[in-house]
Amino acid sequence: MREEKYDISGMHCAACSASVEKVTRRLPGVERSDVNLTTGIMTICYDEAQVGPEQIAAKVEKAGFGCALHAEHREETVQDVKDAEAAALKRKQTELIAAGVFSVVLLYVSMGQMLPFGLPSLPLPDIFSMHTHPVNFAILQLLLTIPVLYCGRHFFTGGFKALFHANPNMDSLVAIGSACSFAYSVVMTFLISDDPHTYVHNLYYESAAVVLTLVSLGKFLESRNMQKTKGAITALMQLAPDTAILADSGREVPTKSLKTGDTVLVKPGARVPADGVVTQGESSVNEAMLTGESLPVEKSVGSEVIGGSVNQNGALYVRVTRTGEDATLARIIRFVEDAQGKKAPISKTADKVAGVFVPAVITIALAAAIAWAVAGQPFAFVLRVFTSVLVIACPCALGLATPTAIMVGTGLGAKHGILIRSGEILEITHSVDTVVLDKTGTVTQGAPAVTEIVPQGCGKLDLLSTAAAVEAVSAHPLAEAISACAAEQGLTDLPKPEQFENLSGRGLKAALSGETVLAGSRRLLEEEGVDVSPLLAEAERLAAQGQTPMYFARGGRLLGLISVADPVKETSAAAIRKMKDAGIRTVLLTGDNHAAASHIGALVGVDEVIAEVLPEEKAGVIQRLQAQGRKVMMVGDGINDAPALTQAEVGCAIGSGSDIAIESADIVLMRDDLQDVPRALRLSALTLRDIKQNLFWAFCYNTVGIPIAAGALYLFGGPLLSPMFAGAAMSLSSVCVVGNALRLGRAKLS
């Protein structure tokens, strides 16, 4: 099966997206087809042996919409996309202003001489008076209406095209209502000379024009707000610089032309053009837009840098390691795009309703019109009811309720370094009641570090300097931890061992300034005749905590011991406390021994510790928890966590972890901070709340609005809804839904 994305143009409401889904799902070999109204992207999964891109595009175009492979637009620059969107919005604004001016004048002409409550009529030249020159009065309205109809021509072209293809949409409703009012008014205009006093009061040019203007206003505000919901993608795309400087020649070349292995110069204040490794120079780099980390990160030779981050104060030479679709920035953009393009389960209800909504509305409008006609109401009354029902019935709010909230929610997450793979994951994350945490690299730092220095008959720095001097020539991870600790203490000018012998499984023996230095296990020192009894109790205490104590002796005299362990991250305990406060059960899962695991578990305060688990057994632990009825989130960072990440309802990968873990995960935490787990849980809850609010008001609007437009209030002595007010209400509903979603973007996750 092949999965592809297509850009769909010409969609204006949920009925449009439902129509595209319906026609494409009927194609042979299509397994799945989902259309996101807000992004205008269709994600389709199909069997290439049965159907191809040409047939898919042809089917969509036959249904009345434009269709192009999404990948084709990747060649456009960010500025090209922004310019195209800005030009389209500017064109809508110009047409809206023109329509607004003509509509205001039309309202003045048509309603100025018929003000209610005894108000004086508005002045109008006698040649256009409805009393003395009714034909001129009608023709002036006709002439004022035509420019408005031209400005709103897309409603007619798109609406009737969709109607003729048996896929009516929101444009169809507006087009039918406005066209009926206009056609009826034209007929009345030709009949005025026969009976001026009767037909002059049956002109509805203002309804035809003002409805189009108000709906266009709603669409314009909606489009402008929708650009804000796409801000996360736009901001990420803008991070990639257009050019890069090659270090060997100093030439400025397009960033797209860079290849793996190229070395580029990144000047202070410039953006890093691609992922790479620093080969020369030192500087601090701001990675906030990519990881959410507010503080700059210090970079030196050997440090990895991310394309799109900002070099702050020093020149860096960077060897490119990843380009194109493999680059971190491209993967993040793809992650966010996928999340915004995929539907959440809650949207299925709205989709089902939207699929039958427009035909149902047309049926209701006809039924209401026929009922009032049978009841003896004049044709003008019947037309007013018919038009109002068509115009007020807006599936736009219904279709925008879920995707707008998901777009803003995923964008908010990306801003905080929380990447969410799909709308479905964003929705279900809030239901998690158990979080399983891998120990190494997730709760702990994932690299050994010196935890305690216990000298015996010497100072701490003396012990550390001797240990660092002999361990400097060892490649063992524990030796690296001691060397790093010595560097932090400023112990850099250390003597070099004259001799060095690595004793497998026991430690090492070296000669330093003519004296023999031993470093390693109790067994090694005892074999060499060194008495370690003064430190046995201390060593047993440290070992019981899962630490690794290393003994040191010089010239046959015990110097002390240095304990090395994988330390707990500073934020782990606080993150776990937040999860427990939210009623979530926390489980520490590790392959480490019980002593080490229990000690770490007690430090951070988890509810349960499961230790000595083989990598292939981790997914089985998740299955057992799920069999108990628990909704599980697995948080890990290693290759051995990938099966468990996939098995859990929500797989969450620490961003500094392996590529396999990240590819297997539903959520990626770019900041390597466990506190982002409760932030992700809160983000999910806030987004779902926003979706439910949107759906409630969208359903509520249609449930109340349609009966009122059909004349329900008039039955009990109330007013009859004007098509103009129906159009205003319809536009307002869509703007309210998008506005509520944008409000989510200002939410606090901590």
Side-chain angles (χ1 to χ4, degrees):
M1 301 298 286
R2 180 187 180 93
E3 182 174 289
E4 274 187 330
K5 292 182 178 180
Y6 290 81
D7 290 326
I8 309 299
S9 57
M11 295 191 301
H12 303 290
C13 66
C16 297
S17 58
S19 296
V20 176
E21 289 177 347
K22 185 165 62 177
V23 298
T24 50
R25 286 171 183 170
R26 289 174 181 168
L27 286 167
V30 172
E31 182 183 86
R32 178 174 56 84
S33 177
D34 294 310
V35 179
N36 189 307
L37 176 62
T38 53
T39 60
I41 294 174
M42 174 178 70
T43 304
I44 186 168
C45 187
Y46 62 92
D47 183 355
E48 291 179 276
Q50 299 186 59
V51 67
E54 296 80 11
Q55 293 98 311
I56 293 171
K59 196 72 174 178
V60 173
E61 288 166 1
K62 187 177 179 182
F65 305 94
C67 181
L69 275 172
H70 184 56
E72 292 174 358
H73 298 283
R74 292 294 177 92
E75 298 302 317
E76 297 176 333
T77 66
V78 179
Q79 196 58 46
D80 289 338
V81 175
K82 287 186 68 178
D83 289 346
E85 290 180 349
L89 199 62
K90 182 69 176 177
R91 185 174 63 253
K92 286 183 181 180
Q93 184 180 31
T94 302
E95 291 182 344
L96 176 61
I97 291 172
V101 170
F102 281 102
S103 294
V104 168
V105 176
L106 178 59
L107 275 175
Y108 182 94
V109 171
S110 62
M111 309 298 290
Q113 297 184 348
M114 296 184 289
L115 294 179
F117 311 118
L119 293 173
S121 61
L122 298 176
L124 196 67
D126 183 65
I127 193 173
F128 296 119
S129 170
M130 64 180 296
H131 303 294
T132 59
H133 297 83
V135 174
N136 292 351
F137 175 72
I139 290 175
L140 177 61
Q141 292 185 58
L142 171 62
L143 294 176
L144 290 170
T145 303
I146 290 174
V148 180
L149 297 183
Y150 177 77
C151 291
R153 60 194 178 281
H154 66 274
F155 287 107
F156 299 99
T157 55
F160 285 120
K161 186 177 181 181
L163 187 64
F164 295 149
H165 285 100
N167 292 306
N169 55 25
M170 183 59 212
D171 286 358
S172 303
L173 299 183
V174 174
I176 293 171
S178 186
C180 286
S181 296
F182 180 73
Y184 177 74
S185 300
V186 170
V187 172
M188 293 299 104
T189 299
F190 281 99
L191 295 176
I192 280 180
S193 56
D194 295 338
D195 188 354
H197 297 293
T198 299
Y199 295 117
V200 78
H201 293 286
N202 286 326
L203 299 175
Y204 289 94
Y205 287 117
E206 80 283 350
S207 292
V210 175
V211 161
L212 284 179
T213 302
L214 289 173
V215 174
S216 297
L217 173 62
K219 291 292 183 185
F220 172 75
L221 295 175
E222 191 180 293
S223 298
R224 193 176 63 179
N225 286 341
M226 285 305 297
Q227 283 193 354
K228 296 178 184 178
T229 68
K230 298 176 183 177
I233 292 285
T234 305
L236 285 170
M237 291 175 69
Q238 288 176 320
L239 292 181
D242 294 329
T243 60
I245 301 173
L246 292 176
D248 55 357
S249 63
R251 288 189 303 114
E252 195 167 320
V253 298
T255 300
K256 291 181 180 179
S257 68
L258 290 177
K259 303 183 295 296
T260 301
D262 287 344
T263 299
V264 295
L265 169 63
V266 186
K267 295 180 179 180
R271 291 193 179 275
V272 178
D275 293 358
V277 176
V278 177
T279 59
Q280 185 180 335
E282 293 182 357
S283 181
S284 56
V285 175
N286 187 342
E287 299 176 344
M289 276 300 292
L290 294 162
T291 65
E293 181 59 61
S294 57
L295 296 176
V297 182
E298 296 301 319
K299 303 291 183 180
S300 57
V301 175
S303 299
E304 291 189 359
V305 290
I306 305 173
S309 56
V310 181
N311 181 27
Q312 294 200 314
N313 46 31
L316 292 176
Y317 288 86
V318 177
R319 186 180 73 253
V320 176
T321 56
R322 285 190 295 265
T323 60
E325 293 297 307
D326 295 328
T328 301
L329 180 58
R331 291 166 66 192
I332 292 173
I333 292 173
R334 190 163 64 246
F335 217 105
V336 178
E337 278 185 336
D338 287 346
Q340 295 183 346
K342 293 177 182 176
K343 294 187 176 182
I346 198 170
S347 68
K348 292 178 181 177
T349 301
D351 286 347
K352 289 177 181 177
V353 173
V356 297
F357 192 85
V358 174
V361 167
I362 294 174
T363 302
I364 292 171
L366 287 170
I370 292 170
W372 283 113
V374 170
Q377 292 293 341
F379 184 76
F381 183 98
V382 172
L383 178 66
R384 189 173 179 179
V385 168
F386 179 71
T387 303
S388 295
V389 172
L390 290 177
V391 172
I392 203 170
C394 173
C396 295
L398 203 58
L400 293 170
T402 301
T404 49
I406 287 174
M407 287 186 73
V408 176
T410 51
L412 178 62
K415 196 185 301 181
H416 286 80
I418 302 170
L419 304 183
I420 299 168
R421 190 174 294 277
S422 69
E424 180 178 3
I425 292 302
L426 185 60
E427 180 181 331
I428 68 175
T429 297
H430 86 285
S431 64
V432 165
D433 56 22
T434 303
V435 174
V436 178
L437 303 162
D438 173 55
K439 181 178 78 70
T440 305
T442 302
V443 174
T444 65
Q445 292 181 5
V450 172
T451 52
E452 288 197 38
I453 301 173
V454 184
Q456 181 69 27
C458 67
K460 279 190 176 183
L461 290 181
D462 291 333
L463 170 58
L464 183 58
S465 62
T466 300
V470 296
E471 295 288 3
V473 293
S474 173
H476 196 281
L478 300 185
E480 293 177 8
I482 292 174
S483 297
C485 181
E488 289 175 6
Q489 297 296 323
L491 303 175
T492 54
D493 189 18
L494 299 173
K496 294 183 179 180
E498 292 94 33
Q499 293 179 354
F500 179 85
E501 183 182 1
N502 194 358
L503 304 172
S504 179
R506 291 175 292 165
L508 58 85
K509 181 189 290 187
L512 196 66
S513 302
E515 293 184 296
T516 299
V517 177
L518 300 173
S521 66
R522 169 186 173 183
R523 175 187 168 192
L524 172 63
L525 269 68
E526 287 178 340
E527 286 176 352
E528 297 292 331
V530 179
D531 180 18
V532 297
S533 58
L535 294 175
L536 283 179
E538 193 70 16
E540 289 174 0
R541 176 185 69 83
L542 294 169
Q545 296 177 0
Q547 301 186 37
T548 303
M550 300 172 63
Y551 293 90
F552 291 88
R554 182 169 184 170
R557 181 174 59 88
L558 182 65
L559 287 182
L561 62 82
I562 296 177
S563 184
V564 177
D566 182 8
V568 172
K569 293 177 183 176
E570 293 180 1
T571 58
S572 293
I576 289 168
R577 187 166 57 251
K578 286 181 181 179
M579 287 185 261
K580 293 176 71 173
D581 290 344
I584 294 171
R585 182 174 179 78
T586 54
V587 178
L588 186 67
L589 181 65
T590 179
D592 246 351
N593 62 71
H594 282 287
S598 298
H599 176 69
I600 297 296
L603 282 179
V604 297
V606 296
D607 296 305
E608 182 181 359
V609 175
I610 303 175
E612 299 182 9
V613 179
L614 296 174
E616 60 269 22
E617 295 174 344
K618 288 188 174 183
V621 172
I622 304 297
Q623 287 178 324
R624 288 199 298 275
L625 290 170
Q626 290 170 328
Q628 297 169 13
R630 295 194 169 275
K631 300 288 186 182
V632 182
M633 172 190 279
M634 172 69 195
V635 186
D637 78 322
I639 292 174
N640 60 2
D641 297 322
L645 290 170
T646 305
Q647 176 63 42
E649 275 83 3
V650 180
C652 186
I654 296 291
S656 61
S658 71
D659 287 347
I660 294 177
I662 292 172
E663 290 300 324
S664 303
D666 303 304
I667 298 175
V668 175
L669 308 180
M670 295 295 293
R671 284 196 296 198
D672 197 12
D673 183 352
L674 203 58
Q675 289 202 93
D676 281 339
V677 173
R679 290 188 185 108
L681 295 168
R682 174 166 169 76
L683 175 62
S684 172
L686 290 174
T687 304
L688 189 66
R689 185 184 70 180
D690 197 276
I691 290 172
K692 288 180 176 178
Q693 288 173 347
N694 285 347
L695 285 175
F696 171 79
W697 290 112
F699 277 117
C700 202
Y701 162 81
N702 284 298
T703 302
V704 173
I706 292 176
I708 291 176
L713 294 181
Y714 187 80
L715 279 174
F716 301 98
L720 185 66
L721 189 69
S722 163
M724 287 185 290
F725 289 111
M730 186 275 287
S731 299
L732 185 62
S733 68
S734 295
V735 173
C736 286
V737 164
V738 177
N740 189 48
L742 288 172
R743 189 172 57 87
L744 173 64
R746 297 191 296 272
K748 302 294 183 184
L749 299 183
S750 298

